[in-house]
């Protein structure tokens, strides 16, 4: 089982499940933002609350103390990203199972058929 060091203490990272996705969403991390660095603070806060098994306010305090003590936000985020990628639930939910979605790219440019004069 993976571990993450937060504020000089090691914590075991659980297998992330649907229950954890609900908790993360309640803490401000939308599903579509789970693998987006645009939500790094929400992700780190929610992940910390999950691994430490504490309330969001306590998690925020721990992350702040971690950074003030010389720790790195990226270390926690990396552990979070790894936990998401290793979770069987999130592999299916976020299509992280190595099979890319087959989607057609849509073009925003509109084309009009050529008039008979232009074809000559």
């Amino acid at each position: 089982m993976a571990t993450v060091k937060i504020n000089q203490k090691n914590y075991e990272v659980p297998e992330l499940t649907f229950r954890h996705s609900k908790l993360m969403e309640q803490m401000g991390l939308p599903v579509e933002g789970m693998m987006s660095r645009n939500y790094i603070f929400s992700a780190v806060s929610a992940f910390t609350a999950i691994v430490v098994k504490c309330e969001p306010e306590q998690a925020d305090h721990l992350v702040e103390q971690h950074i003030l003590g010389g720790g790195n936000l990226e270390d926690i985020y990396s552990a979070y990203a790894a936990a998401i990628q290793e979770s069987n639930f999130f592999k299916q939910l976020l299509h992280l199972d190595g099979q890319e979605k087959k989607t057609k790219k849509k073009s925003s440019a509109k084309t009009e058929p050529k008039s008979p004069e232009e074809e000559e």
Side-chain angles (χ1 to χ4, degrees), residues 38-57:
N38 292 334
Y39 294 94
I40 189 169
F41 295 117
S42 295
V44 166
S45 177
F47 182 67
T48 299
I50 289 168
V51 298
V52 176
K53 299 178 181 139
C54 68
E55 294 296 318
E57 295 79 17

Side-chain angles (χ1 to χ4, degrees), residues 6-8 11 14 25 27-29 31-32 40 42-43 47 52 63-64 66 68 76 78 86 89 106 108 116:
I6 302 171
N7 201 20
Q8 303 300 321
Y11 296 93
E25 192 173 58
M27 291 184 234
L29 184 61
V31 172
E32 64 272 6
I40 189 169
S42 295
F47 182 67
V52 176
V63 171
E64 185 172 339
H66 176 78
L68 291 174
I76 301 172
S78 294
E86 293 169 7
F89 173 75
K106 294 183 179 180
S108 61

Side-chain angles (χ1 to χ4, degrees), residues 86-109:
E86 293 169 7
S87 163
N88 289 324
F89 173 75
F90 282 103
K91 283 180 189 176
Q92 292 297 316
L93 180 69
L94 302 175
H95 306 286
L96 300 174
D97 55 6
Q99 298 176 4
E100 293 185 16
K101 283 184 175 179
K102 294 181 181 179
T103 57
K104 293 182 180 179
K105 292 184 180 179
K106 294 183 179 180
S107 173
S108 61

